[in-house]
Amino acid sequence: MKKFFALALAAAMTLSLAACGPKNDPSSSTSTSGSGSAPGSVSSTGDQKFDKLVMGTSADYPPFEFHILDNGVDTIVGIDVSLGKQIAADMGAEFEVVHMDFDNLLTLLNQGQCDYVIAATELNEERAKIAGYSDPYYSDLPPVIVTKAGNEGNYSALTDFEGKTVGAQMGTTKADIVTKEMPGADPLLMASVVDLVNNLIYDKCDALVLDGAVANKYLEANKDLAAVDIDMGEAAEPYRVWVQKDDPKGLLPHINETIKKVTSDGTMTSYIEEANELSSQALEG
């Protein structure tokens, strides 16, 4: 199943996105070496050179970004983290990834608390007004509605969720589906997908709307959950890397160069396969 899913993800790589907003929770971070320098530290010799680059993400979204224990150390890994690490490596910089609340990522980015954001985030008009963005690097599967196993047959259309509590990650296109396309549904919007899934498992809500790849991972890991058979259409916008508005640090040309390389030489496929294998180790909290 994992191998099939990796191939399906690789084939779906035309490119897609989710969201970001305001509030710092650097509850954990992973660094490839350790100078402790601030985001975007610059040496004054020759061309602009970044000694260290900090990636912001919300690490509750396997297979894109999630926590595992690596030799007993809480470590953030995933498809997006591999891309972020490669961007830093191609620029000759030390890499660090920092976990923050998903709905606050772009705000924290513009406050200088990280150099770029990679968090399975789609392009929309609101985000484009406040941050710069890269070329596409990935397209997700269509969204999936998830409910408790045995309840999936109760729903055949979005209107069937009237009077039901439906969860989604706040600030995302999935939240828009709940609030705008499910008439009469009671939205449960939370910052953490892990918390949403726990709410569903413990009957605090009736269903969740998740990105396709993320939904598949949770369905794979928990046989008490099931997908609702409702056609949610195609994936929306491709995922992109986000930088401060107007790219004052000049990161986008380097980021786009790395994206072009990894999406054309098969490297992205290896990121997907590795993340699929590691996602079975994803920590739940």
Side-chain angles (χ1 to χ4, degrees):
M1 179 62 186
K2 282 184 180 175
K3 188 170 288 187
F4 170 79
F5 183 61
L7 293 173
L9 284 177
M13 208 175 341
T14 331
L15 318 150
S16 166
L17 243 207
C20 298
K23 179 167 150 191
N24 191 1
D25 177 23
S27 56
S28 62
S29 65
T30 302
S31 180
T32 55
S33 53
S35 71
S37 53
S41 302
V42 181
S43 69
S44 58
T45 57
D47 296 333
Q48 187 180 55
K49 181 178 183 299
F50 287 85
D51 297 325
K52 179 178 181 179
L53 290 169
V54 177
M55 167 184 154
T57 195
S58 181
D60 58 355
Y61 224 56
F64 297 99
E65 41 267 331
F66 53 99
H67 294 265
I68 66 168
L69 285 179
D70 184 11
N71 294 320
V73 178
D74 187 346
T75 304
I76 301 173
V77 297
I79 297 168
D80 289 350
V81 181
S82 295
L83 174 60
K85 188 179 297 184
Q86 188 61 54
I87 289 168
D90 288 347
M91 295 178 65
E94 177 190 353
F95 173 74
E96 181 180 1
V97 56
V98 178
H99 170 80
M100 302 168 177
D101 281 349
F102 182 74
D103 60 328
N104 296 318
L105 282 168
L106 292 189
T107 296
L108 296 173
L109 170 67
N110 283 318
Q111 290 175 356
Q113 296 194 34
C114 59
D115 296 298
Y116 50 88
V117 162
I118 316 182
T121 307
E122 300 159 348
L123 172 64
N124 64 22
E125 185 176 349
E126 181 181 351
R127 293 171 202 145
K129 288 179 180 177
I130 63 172
Y133 53 90
S134 73
D135 294 337
Y137 69 88
Y138 185 89
S139 270
D140 197 6
L141 304 171
V144 171
I145 300 174
V146 177
T147 188
K148 292 287 286 289
N151 294 337
E152 65 272 25
N154 297 335
Y155 311 105
S156 59
L158 296 183
T159 52
D160 292 338
F161 291 93
E162 182 176 0
K164 303 296 184 181
T165 300
V166 183
Q169 191 172 39
M170 62 176 63
T172 68
T173 53
K174 270 52 67 181
D176 291 340
I177 291 172
V178 176
T179 57
K180 298 177 182 179
E181 300 180 29
M182 291 181 161
D186 182 19
L188 173 66
L189 306 182
M190 305 181 75
S192 168
V193 174
V194 173
D195 290 343
L196 285 166
V197 172
N198 284 333
N199 270 263
L200 178 59
I201 290 172
Y202 293 108
D203 298 315
K204 301 293 180 65
C205 65
D206 299 290
L208 304 176
V209 182
L210 302 174
D211 278 317
V214 175
N216 284 346
K217 280 302 166 189
Y218 280 105
L219 290 166
E220 216 175 273
N222 194 324
K223 300 308 179 185
D224 291 330
L225 304 180
V228 175
D229 187 16
I230 294 177
D231 184 3
M232 301 296 289
E234 298 180 357
E237 282 288 327
Y239 295 160
R240 301 177 189 256
V241 180
W242 296 80
V243 299
Q244 290 180 356
K245 185 66 175 174
D246 300 322
D247 190 24
K249 298 178 181 180
L251 295 172
L252 280 180
H254 302 283
I255 291 171
N256 286 333
E257 186 176 341
T258 296
I259 288 172
K260 182 178 179 180
K261 178 181 71 173
V262 302
T263 55
S264 62
D265 68 2
T267 301
M268 181 62 76
T269 301
S270 69
Y271 294 164
I272 293 167
E273 292 172 347
E274 179 183 23
N276 285 340
E277 290 297 321
L278 290 174
S279 63
S280 63
Q281 304 173 36
L283 301 178
E284 296 185 359

